[in-house]
Amino acid sequence: MAASEAAVGGGGGGGKGAMAAAAAAAAGPVPLPPPPPPGPGRCEARRGTVNILTQLRRAQLSGRGLTRGPQITEALLKERDKQAKWNGIPLLLQKLYENSHPNSDFSQCQSILKEISPLLSMEAMAFVTEERKTAQESTFPNTYTFDLFGGVDLLVEILMRPTLITQKKKQKISDDLIKDCLSILYNTCICTEGVTKRLAERNDFVLFLFTLMTNKKTFLQTATLIEDILGVKKEMIQLEDIPNLSSLVSSFDQQQLANFCRILAVTISELDTGSDDKHTLLAKNAQQKKSLGPSRAEINQATLLNIPGFIERLCKLATRKVSETTGTSSFLQELEEWYTWLDNALVLDALMRVADEETEQSSTESSDESGFANPSTRNQLPQSMKIMHEIMYKLEVLYVLCVLLMGRQRNQVHKMIAEFRLIPGLNNLFDKLIWRKHSASALVLHGHNQNCDCSPDITLKIQFLRLLQSFSDHHENKYLLLNSQELNELSAISLKANIPEVEAVVNTDRSLVCDGKRGLLTRLLQVMKKEPAESSFRFWQARAVESFLRGATSYADQMFLLKRGLLEHILYCIVDSECKSRDVLQSYFDLLGELMKFNIDAFKRFNKYINTDEKFQIFLNQINSSLVDSNMLVRCITLSLDRFESQSDIKVAEVLSECRLLSYMSQMSMRMSFLFRLINIIHVQTLTQENVSCLNTSLVILMLARRKDKLPFYLRTLQEMEYTKKYPGFILNNFHSLLRFWQQHYLNKDKDSTCLENSSCISFSYWKETVSILLSPDRTSPCAIISYIDEAYMDIDRDFTEE
């Protein structure tokens, strides 16, 4: 018993060794009871008045002294209980300890826990409701006392007892006792700091909890506790270590599987480093060099994909229709009122279980199966919660699918979710659930305000848009977002323009595309154009549509969107509404770049909309306000101008002469200004996935110059601009370092090189050659950066980590 307790005791400030700490805090120095006879686990006799808290602290550090609860006499506990306001918790824990020894049948344990539980659940409810105080003001004496006197460690030991004792006849613990233990542990975790982390350090306990999920009666309590523990665990668990994972998942019903996705989300997402420095490409590259193989998150993703039927069940959950028998505005308002204090599906599950029990009890009184035939709240609430369930469940499922779509097994996941018709299913839910109309009342969670994006409806929309973005990005399955008529429209656009039809369109399986009058992409464009100016959805909507255009530039795709007024909508948002959000502006600029690239019709439409000098100046101001946000559009204009100038078409020549934007970029001084600023705003140490595009845009400008044998002129002009700005060598030294990093970063990354080729229509070999020429150590080369840096200002050999 002593050995197992030592194992369970683990860490932190809790455990049975701390059972009388609260006594010292409340009563100060007290005389100890007569010393017991010496023996194993008994503290040595001491004389005089001794501070119990001091003894306990020494014991925690040394492992000697007051290390077990029963060492404190019942008389002392009774004496101090009223004064210290312990509510009898230490005495109850002492009784629990005495009734949970190895040979116990646990018959008395549950009645003891029934006395303890209400004391802790009241504090937990206070913690999660609006009445809770700030962290500085909050005190939860009952949960604190419970942990301090070893309650947490004792419950863990009781739960794990059957796995720790090697006997032919294993001890059996009742479902009700397990549920009580888990509920009390959870309440203590949320109210008492450090308890969750201490449990998370016990890997054996964490894995043991998963075995309790096989029992439907204890599933909810187990899932809730696991989710809380995994949220603070420093090292991600490996799903393959969970005993019989495949059969465990197969045993779940759809409701349990959806809740299990909440837990999976923590195990398949890369851990956030919590530091901006770690997000730099320099730090990421260094980390990748240290990593000898796939990360735990990637291993866990592969483990999930190996579970038979897992993805199919997720797709069914994501596309399952909600009951339409309650589609009234009063019902929606009621739903929102419920959600103001229920913030996850697990809490809803618990309430539904209670409501279902009530319904069963009343079923003999009425045979009416319709919850809304009877207007009583009692009958309405279960249906309300069921619909909210669907929203919450879909959130969890879409998140897991989204992460898997971005993982190493992306193509495998794509194939499966296409086969299981995820996209047509979501299209059918678009109007009635995903983008349904709201009641007038605002949905606000506790601790948040009306501008917060944490409501279930808002979160579902964002998760849906993120899924579309991941699904469409550089993958031919993106055409599943259309219906058959829209695919025919793409073919007609190609035929009219006398260009080859896109191969992916021809190869798209028509049985897997969207049903109905409109596909999912068209539906998205419709709500996008109606979105209020201040809406946070604008960013995600633009990202989702842009991902459809990414990859090799498709004239037909662009025209499909141009015909639906997308360009005019974007320009309205940038110019007429003068959007101020940096994130939204960046997403609009990126989308505009993909929409207009190499498309003379798009530039003609642009010029028609931006038809005054005033409008054009507003547009330029938005571009120049942040080049990090707008550089992809600058790249698009530069590439398009270069292609148009090489064409002899009359229509192109006409647009070239009339379009303000193309005329502006055709000026050498403007291109040089952009190039200078693009190089100046980034440095090797500050490069991230967000701003590395500035480096690639500057390279595009120089590659196009090299094609026309103007590379020396551009480099010489940069040198002159340095001197004009009184920073000789600063820009070119920085550019030299950036290009050295570029070589390290891109030369071993197939996906990145493909993206660069697709976005520029310039072969990656030409990218590599241009960088090599610019980095040539030959000071006599007219195309080498080093030739334009005076020796007095030379600083090109410094290591990246020293810069």
Side-chain angles (χ1 to χ4, degrees), residues 219-220 224 253-262 316-323 326 331-332 334-336 338-339 342-356 380-398 429 433 436 456-457 460:
F219 177 88
L220 290 176
T224 309
D253 58 29
Q254 289 295 75
Q255 178 173 305
Q256 291 173 317
L257 181 62
N259 276 321
F260 190 59
C261 284
R262 291 178 65 88
K316 285 181 179 178
L317 258 173
T319 58
R320 183 170 68 178
K321 289 186 178 180
V322 182
S323 170
T326 56
F331 158 73
L332 293 177
E334 174 198 355
L335 194 60
E336 292 175 354
W338 265 103
Y339 199 80
L342 302 176
D343 62 355
N344 72 56
L346 289 167
V347 178
L348 282 163
D349 278 336
L351 285 172
M352 276 189 69
R353 182 164 50 82
V354 174
D356 287 342
Q380 288 184 8
L381 288 177
Q383 189 64 23
S384 302
M385 288 184 274
K386 284 174 185 175
I387 299 221
M388 181 54 74
H389 261 139
E390 285 303 316
I391 293 174
M392 298 307 299
Y393 288 169
K394 284 171 171 50
L395 274 176
E396 314 304 340
V397 172
L398 291 182
L429 288 175
L433 180 71
R436 66 186 177 88
D457 281 314
L460 178 65

Side-chain angles (χ1 to χ4, degrees), residues 482-530:
L482 310 182
N483 64 19
S484 292
Q485 291 80 9
E486 291 163 346
L487 286 173
N488 292 339
E489 184 181 339
L490 286 180
S491 301
I493 291 171
S494 298
L495 183 64
K496 184 178 179 181
N498 197 26
I499 57 176
E501 193 172 354
V502 177
E503 188 177 351
V505 174
V506 177
N507 295 335
T508 297
D509 186 342
R510 298 292 178 110
S511 68
L512 301 178
V513 301
C514 292
D515 309 311
K517 295 180 180 179
R518 292 183 296 274
L520 205 45
L521 180 63
T522 304
R523 289 181 187 273
L524 176 57
L525 289 175
Q526 288 180 325
V527 298
M528 183 178 181
K529 289 194 283 187
K530 296 175 183 176

Side-chain angles (χ1 to χ4, degrees), residues 632-764:
M632 292 298 289
L633 178 61
V634 171
R635 188 191 306 183
C636 148
I637 302 166
T638 306
L639 285 164
S640 300
L641 176 66
D642 182 77
R643 176 175 292 190
F644 296 156
E645 287 179 337
S646 66
Q647 295 174 344
S648 55
D649 187 281
I650 297 176
K651 178 183 175 183
V652 171
E654 181 182 334
V655 175
L656 269 174
S657 64
E658 295 177 355
C659 182
R660 288 178 171 84
L661 191 56
L662 292 172
S663 299
Y664 178 82
M665 193 58 76
S666 66
Q667 301 173 51
M668 173 63 72
S669 60
M670 292 300 102
R671 291 203 297 276
M672 289 307 307
S673 173
F674 279 122
L675 179 61
F676 187 91
R677 285 186 291 154
L678 285 167
I679 298 171
N680 192 35
I681 59 179
I682 50 175
H683 306 278
V684 171
Q685 289 81 9
T686 60
L687 279 179
T688 64
Q689 205 65 48
E690 287 297 311
N691 63 25
V692 71
S693 57
C694 293
L695 173 57
N696 290 322
T697 297
S698 65
L699 261 176
V700 164
I701 294 173
L702 291 176
M703 283 190 292
L704 298 181
R706 180 186 164 210
R707 279 182 177 175
K708 298 178 179 179
D709 296 323
K710 291 184 178 180
L711 188 54
F713 173 79
Y714 275 67
L715 293 174
R716 187 164 57 251
T717 305
L718 281 176
Q719 182 188 39
E720 292 169 0
M721 293 173 77
E722 281 183 329
Y723 275 88
T724 302
K725 301 282 186 181
K726 302 189 186 305
Y727 290 123
F730 178 75
I731 292 296
L732 291 173
N733 275 312
N734 183 46
F735 193 43
H736 194 279
S737 295
L738 288 166
L739 293 181
R740 284 167 53 216
F741 175 81
W742 188 95
Q743 286 183 322
Q744 288 185 14
H745 182 69
Y746 280 107
L747 296 189
N748 295 317
K749 288 183 170 285
D750 295 334
K751 184 183 177 185
D752 281 343
S753 65
T754 303
C755 290
L756 291 178
E757 282 186 325
N758 287 336
S759 69
S760 64
C761 288
I762 299 173
S763 69
F764 190 61

Side-chain angles (χ1 to χ4, degrees), residues 25 190 484 548 558:
I190 62 176
S484 292
F548 180 81
Q558 291 173 326

Side-chain angles (χ1 to χ4, degrees), residues 65-76:
L66 282 174
T67 58
R68 301 177 64 81
Q71 293 172 261
I72 305 170
T73 65
E74 186 176 341
L76 177 58

Side-chain angles (χ1 to χ4, degrees), residues 613-630:
D613 291 339
E614 182 185 1
K615 277 188 173 183
F616 186 60
Q617 192 55 54
I618 293 173
F619 183 77
L620 289 181
N621 291 342
Q622 291 281 47
I623 287 180
N624 288 313
S625 63
S626 177
L627 268 184
V628 171
D629 299 325
S630 62

